[in-house]
Amino acid sequence: MAINHKHLFYFWKTAREGGVVKAGEALHVTPQTISGQIRLLEESLGAELFDRQGRSLELTETGRLVLEYAEEMFSLSAELEQMVRHYPGGRPTDFRVGVSDALPKSLVYRLLQPAVSLPEPVRIVCREWRLERLLAELLEHRLDLVLADTPVPAGLERRAYSHHLGESGLSFIASRSLLPQQPLPFPSGLGHLPLLVPGEDAAVRQKLMAWLERRQLRPKVVGEFDDSALMTAFGQAGVGAFAVPSVIEDECLADASLVLLGRVPELRSGYYAISMERRLTHPCVLAITESARQKFTQVEHREKPD
């Protein structure tokens, strides 16, 4: 059985727009045309794709399965069209990536660096927003990839895929100027230091606060930051101790004014590449995921409970 791609496209557009009227308006055709194309697709598949209740349409179980494959097909089609139309003759390929604002910027650089080292020229277009907005841009094919510290939310209406890159515990760091002459025991010494913490959007925030409570550690929280680079700058200035993913610990400690207080491997954050592809094919995405998994594996070997 050969599926008519035009029928499939009309079905896909109707599912995305939420009805035949809106799909017809988007495609500049009549609702009757849309309905006829979907009916032909259902006949060719031998299954109903929508439950029709008055003017309301709900996807059937088969409809949800077909939509999942249609999303991937038309995503690849859009990627191919843009590649051919906009980047002929060896010009750099735009790689459009969204970055959750909860991610440390130095970690983002490490994740993205392999994409610019490919043999083919690449121009990275980086957008930083809250995850909800980034996912909306991804679903509209305005982004090729989203990097985040959480997988795709369960309630997302349309399908996107989370590709786990790895995990990292936390490393607590402080400026030497903040510390007494006698070394503080870890982790109990944290209770005697001012502390800088990630903002509420960071997935590790609740884990960190719960861990402090379990340990009966009550440091004075003197700063809360959505931007991890800004938090690090305050930490370097001696305003408070702070925690970073252990995967970027060595970068922070390259500053001789900072010292490692201790590591907490159980305070783990996961990192994800979110795409419209179930099977990754984009060369930039493949380079990022392969390199990231190697980096996180090295960190897991280094992390040991104190």
Side-chain angles (χ1 to χ4, degrees):
M1 174 189 65
I3 294 178
N4 186 304
H5 281 206
K6 183 178 180 181
H7 301 165
L8 183 63
F9 178 76
Y10 280 12
F11 158 76
W12 174 67
K13 197 69 175 177
T14 299
R16 294 183 71 193
E17 297 292 337
V20 294
V21 174
K22 290 184 178 180
E25 291 173 352
L27 297 173
H28 306 290
V29 298
T30 66
Q32 291 78 9
T33 299
I34 298 285
S35 296
Q37 298 291 314
I38 293 174
R39 192 173 299 110
L40 290 172
L41 177 61
E42 290 177 323
E43 290 174 0
S44 69
L45 293 173
E48 291 190 355
L49 303 177
F50 289 107
D51 282 328
R52 295 167 175 83
Q53 299 176 358
R55 294 186 178 182
S56 176
L57 290 180
E58 295 290 338
L59 286 168
T60 63
E61 185 174 348
T62 301
R64 287 191 290 271
L65 178 63
V66 173
L67 178 61
E68 183 177 320
Y69 281 94
E71 288 279 10
E72 191 165 346
M73 289 173 61
F74 291 117
S75 173
L76 289 173
S77 176
E79 184 178 321
L80 174 61
E81 180 182 357
Q82 184 156 0
M83 185 72 71
V84 173
R85 179 180 297 175
H86 298 293
Y87 312 114
R91 292 175 57 189
T93 298
D94 276 2
F95 175 51
R96 305 159 302 172
V97 57
V99 178
S100 170
D101 53 14
L103 289 182
K105 305 306 175 290
S106 56
L107 175 58
V108 172
Y109 170 74
R110 290 192 181 193
L111 293 176
L112 294 180
Q113 194 275 333
V116 299
S117 302
L118 293 172
E120 301 80 12
V122 173
R123 185 174 75 103
I124 289 184
V125 180
C126 204
R127 299 285 182 259
E128 182 187 7
W129 290 312
R130 295 174 74 105
L131 181 59
E132 294 82 1
R133 182 172 176 183
L134 293 175
L135 291 176
E137 294 289 301
L138 179 71
L139 293 173
E140 293 300 323
H141 306 290
R142 297 190 185 103
L143 294 174
D144 300 306
L145 187 73
V146 170
L147 296 176
D149 61 351
T150 60
V152 175
L156 196 68
E157 292 183 3
R158 287 159 49 202
R159 180 62 63 89
Y161 297 94
S162 301
H163 307 278
H164 187 241
L165 300 177
E167 294 182 345
S168 175
L170 285 184
S171 297
F172 283 84
I173 292 173
S175 169
R176 294 181 188 275
S177 65
L178 189 66
L179 302 176
Q181 291 185 348
Q182 297 297 324
L184 289 173
F186 184 83
S188 60
L190 288 175
H192 304 287
L193 294 175
L195 187 64
L196 310 173
V197 299
E200 293 182 354
D201 285 345
V204 76
R205 162 66 181 267
Q206 290 186 352
K207 296 178 183 178
L208 170 59
M209 303 310 289
W211 178 81
L212 290 171
E213 186 64 28
R214 287 196 305 272
R215 292 271 186 166
Q216 297 184 334
L217 299 173
R218 295 176 177 83
K220 182 180 179 181
V221 175
V222 296
E224 178 179 325
F225 300 86
D226 291 332
D227 188 320
S228 61
L230 185 59
M231 182 175 68
T232 299
F234 271 72
Q236 289 171 324
V239 176
F242 60 102
V244 299
S246 297
V247 69
I248 58 170
E249 168 196 308
D250 55 347
E251 181 176 323
C252 289
L253 295 179
D255 182 341
S257 70
L258 299 177
V259 295
L260 175 68
L261 301 178
R263 301 188 186 105
V264 186
E266 64 265 31
L267 280 178
R268 305 197 72 71
S269 289
Y271 299 96
Y272 301 85
I274 302 174
S275 76
M276 295 296 291
E277 301 174 309
R278 184 206 306 267
R279 181 175 59 85
L280 297 178
T281 58
H282 194 297
C284 291
V285 178
L286 287 172
I288 287 170
T289 54
E290 291 173 5
S291 176
R293 286 163 181 162
Q294 292 177 5
K295 286 183 174 69
F296 283 112
T297 298
Q298 293 170 359
V299 172
E300 288 174 4
H301 289 323
R302 185 181 67 191
E303 287 180 325
K304 295 182 184 298
D306 291 337

